[in-house]
Structures are given as structure tokens and as C-alpha cells.
Amino acid sequence: MTITKRRLQREARREQLLRVAISCYGELGVERAGHGDIAKRAKVSTATVFNYFATREKLTEAVFQEVYNVFDKMFSTITPPGFTPQEHVQKLADSYVFLAQQHPDILKVVLNWSASFGQGVRPQFLKFQEWVLKGIEHHMHKENPDPSDATMILTASYSYARMKLDNTPEAVLDNYVARVIQAVS
């Protein structure tokens, strides 16, 4: 009996390659990962990856768009106005903790992206960071939000992500989140 490879439908293959690309960008770095790395991990030819993402820029754009999509979805799960500022910060924290549990590769991309200073990706990261900061400020629901509070939350979220990815004990993570909430509420 001969076993043949099952061909994926075009959209399913694109989605598979994007997932592998996110993993590669997270592990190898935003400025280093490329079509060949993705092809090797996905067990397809490099030409196949180029068929779906014609240039490095298109590939990077797709990865970054998925990062935006995941963060946008995270923001959409946060409750509407009506809670205390501390409760809103807790909801932000809860949403981010869920994101860290469900999308560790996305967080790896963000962490790598935040440390990338190449001319091609740094401006894109700064634009993303500004968008996230505005999302944080919006969801804090403070009358006179202090932009430094959003910056503290964002930088704390990067530290949280690193700790989570390094398998820091849950009790330590929980205490860290509680301390951040206390500091900005």
C-alpha cells in the first residue's frame, strides 16, 4: 500500500505556513527568519513558501498583521465602562494572561520585534507599540489617564511574557500581576 501526501487546500496551506512563520519569527528573530526556515519546518519547498508570500516584505507583513489581529481580539474581550480603574486594569491583565497562554508564539514575535532595530522593522514596531498603548489607555477607562500608566503596563507585559515563556511559577506570575495592578491603579 502506498501512502500519499494529502494536499492542503490553498487557504489551509497559507494558514499553516503563516503559523510556521510566526513560530520562526518568534524563535529565530524578526530580522533573521525567512522563507527557507519556514519551508524547512513546514516540510515544503522554499518555492512553495514564495508561492504564498512572494517577498520577505509580504511574509513579514502577514506575520505582523497576525500580531495585530491577536492583540485586537484581546482588546475586544475587555469589558465596557462601568468598573473601577483597578477592575479595568485587572481585566487588561486577565486578557493578557489569556493571550500569553493561548498565543506564546505571538508573544515571542512581539518580544523579538521590540528588540529589532533594523530600518525596515523598527518603524513598524513603534507604530504597533503606539497602537497598543492607545488600546491600553482606552481600556483603563480613567478620567485623566496618565500615559506613563499605559507605558508601565506595556513594559510590565513584556516582562510577564518573558517570565511566562521561561516557565516562572504561577504564584510568582500572579504576584507580579497584582503588584503591577496596584502600581497603576
Side-chain angles (χ1 to χ4, degrees), residues 97-145:
V97 167
F98 182 77
L99 185 148
Q101 293 166 344
Q102 298 299 311
H103 301 283
D105 286 338
I106 291 288
L107 291 182
K108 289 176 186 178
V109 171
V110 171
L111 292 173
N112 274 302
W113 194 12
S114 73
S116 297
F117 289 89
Q119 292 178 359
V121 296
R122 190 66 184 172
Q124 292 172 295
F125 174 75
L126 294 175
K127 182 179 174 185
F128 169 74
Q129 181 173 265
E130 186 63 32
W131 178 80
V132 171
L133 286 167
K134 286 181 183 184
I136 291 169
E137 283 182 24
H138 172 76
H139 286 90
M140 288 178 73
H141 296 285
K142 284 189 171 181
E143 224 172 275
N144 296 310

Side-chain angles (χ1 to χ4, degrees), residues 151-170:
T151 301
M152 284 177 58
I153 290 170
L154 182 60
T155 57
S157 71
Y158 294 159
S159 293
Y160 177 91
R162 284 185 198 93
M163 291 188 299
K164 181 74 174 170
L165 293 167
D166 288 337
N167 297 313
T168 300
E170 289 299 319

Side-chain angles (χ1 to χ4, degrees), residues 17-163:
L17 294 174
L18 180 57
R19 294 282 152 235
V20 172
I22 289 166
S23 176
C24 286
Y25 273 57
E27 290 179 29
L28 303 175
V30 167
E31 294 176 300
R32 184 185 173 288
H35 289 75
D37 301 305
I38 295 156
K40 186 175 181 179
R41 287 192 186 184
K43 298 182 175 143
V44 298
S45 71
T46 302
T48 297
V49 181
F50 273 104
N51 188 36
Y52 288 87
F53 304 99
T55 64
R56 175 111 178 35
E57 290 76 23
K58 293 284 185 192
L59 177 61
T60 300
E61 181 182 306
V63 169
F64 290 170
Q65 185 58 55
E66 189 62 18
V67 171
Y68 271 98
N69 293 346
V70 168
F71 272 77
D72 190 48
K73 187 174 181 180
M74 177 195 74
F75 283 136
S76 73
T77 66
I78 299 170
T79 56
F83 292 97
T84 67
Q86 185 171 1
E87 289 170 325
H88 281 290
V89 174
Q90 181 66 57
K91 294 291 183 188
L92 272 168
D94 293 345
S95 295
Y96 190 81
V97 167
F98 182 77
L99 185 148
Q101 293 166 344
Q102 298 299 311
H103 301 283
D105 286 338
I106 291 288
L107 291 182
K108 289 176 186 178
V109 171
V110 171
L111 292 173
N112 274 302
W113 194 12
S114 73
S116 297
F117 289 89
Q119 292 178 359
V121 296
R122 190 66 184 172
Q124 292 172 295
F125 174 75
L126 294 175
K127 182 179 174 185
F128 169 74
Q129 181 173 265
E130 186 63 32
W131 178 80
V132 171
L133 286 167
K134 286 181 183 184
I136 291 169
E137 283 182 24
H138 172 76
H139 286 90
M140 288 178 73
H141 296 285
K142 284 189 171 181
E143 224 172 275
N144 296 310
D146 182 345
S148 66
D149 285 348
T151 301
M152 284 177 58
I153 290 170
L154 182 60
T155 57
S157 71
Y158 294 159
S159 293
Y160 177 91
R162 284 185 198 93
M163 291 188 299

